[in-house]
Every structure is written in structure tokens, then in C-alpha cells.
Amino acid sequence: MRLEAEGLETKHVQNGEDALQAARDFQPDLILLDVMMPKLSGFEVLDILKNTAETRNTKIVVLSALGQASDRQRAKDLGADDYFVKSQVLITDVMSLVRNLLKLPPFTGASDSSPAK
């Protein structure tokens, strides 16, 4: 809801298989990816997306309940642009990173003229 409130177009899916399909169909500029998902894990999705020509350059930020250093390292090794532990991050931090990765100006309260996906 916060992304949409700031003028960004969003798509939400429930599992890893749908995430792959949505990435191919929707061609987003950025993906916020959970690790613990049904059907395919976020790590599997990340690996496939970063090894597929059409999605290789998509920005991917992992948002997970998993906070182990090994999980963070695995995501980085697979090509994640950043990794946040859900219980340790504020929405303002996520929004700041999203705007930075998408090279958008800071939120001013006005909707963006051409929303990122």
C-alpha cells in the first residue's frame, strides 16, 4: 500500500511460481522478494531471475524473516541488490532504498508522472 501511495505501480503474488510468471509478464523495475514462499523459495526465484536474460537486470530486494548471516550472504551471492530482515527494518528505510534503486526523487507528496513497476 505504501508503494502505491507514493505513486508506484505494484503487483502482488502468493508463491514462487507466480513470482516467476509475474516477473516475465509484468517486467518490473524492482522486485521485493520474500524468502519463505510456497512452491519455490525466494532463493530459488532469485537464482532463476538473475540467470534469465529478460530479468537479469531487474533490481531485487529481499525482505525476509530470516536474519542469519548465511541467508544474507546467500541472497547477495545470488544477485540480490539488498537484504532486509522484516523485524529490523522501517518502511521508511525500504522506501528510501526503493527510490534510490529506481533513481526516483524523494517523495514529495505528489504522485509520480510515470510510475515505476
Side-chain angles (χ1 to χ4, degrees), residues 10 29 45-46 87 95:
T10 66
D29 298 316
V45 171
L46 177 60
S87 64
M95 292 308 303

Side-chain angles (χ1 to χ4, degrees), residues 69-87:
S70 60
D71 295 318
R72 289 175 184 269
Q73 188 60 52
R74 182 175 179 193
K76 287 287 190 182
D77 291 346
L78 291 171
D81 292 278
D82 214 325
Y83 188 107
F84 286 123
V85 177
K86 292 177 187 178
S87 64

